[in-house]
Amino acid sequence: MVARGALAWLIAGSFRTRRPAGAQLYDAPAAEARLASWSVSPATDSIGVWFKEAPSLELRDWLVALRRGGTHVAWADSGIAATMIELEPLVDPAGNQVARIAGPRGSSIVLSDELGLLDSLRMSLPGATVRLTPVSGYAS
């Protein structure tokens, strides 16, 4: 009889929603400053980050790692335009590439690689194509 009661209590408890014990909200710079310490000893059960611009690759990788480690991670932005960039190498001895870009009209696009700025443009159509010199490492 006691075992049935304990089992019923456990089953009922599994349907109860739980609120995170330590939810925190940060802006992107504050989140980046705390990443190393969170990986050693997470300070909260839930982390929220507010972005004013697209997050750095390092911050995105850390947030994914925290989520995979069991920390609830959420983020929001202040209207960052959704864009897609595809690089395709050209058959060219100089190693040039073509960047195909999709994004909302009127949005400003800045293309860069690990060495710095490659090009920038304002989208007058939903798509654009730009010819680039060789890209070093990861382009965004």
Side-chain angles (χ1 to χ4, degrees), residues 51 58 76 106 116:
F51 296 110
E58 181 183 22

Side-chain angles (χ1 to χ4, degrees), residues 54-76:
S56 67
L57 292 175
E58 181 183 22
L59 179 57
R60 285 186 298 187
D61 289 346
W62 276 97
L63 292 175
V64 168
L66 286 168
R67 185 185 73 218
R68 288 180 180 166
T71 301
H72 174 47
V73 177
W75 55 84

Side-chain angles (χ1 to χ4, degrees), residues 96-132:
N96 293 327
Q97 299 181 348
V98 169
R100 291 184 184 86
I101 305 160
R105 292 179 185 185
S107 61
S108 296
I109 307 294
V110 176
L111 298 171
S112 60
D113 66 2
E114 291 180 357
L115 297 177
L117 179 68
L118 294 170
D119 203 349
S120 64
L121 62 122
R122 180 169 286 286
M123 300 292 285
S124 59
L125 297 171
T129 303
V130 178
R131 185 179 178 132
L132 300 172

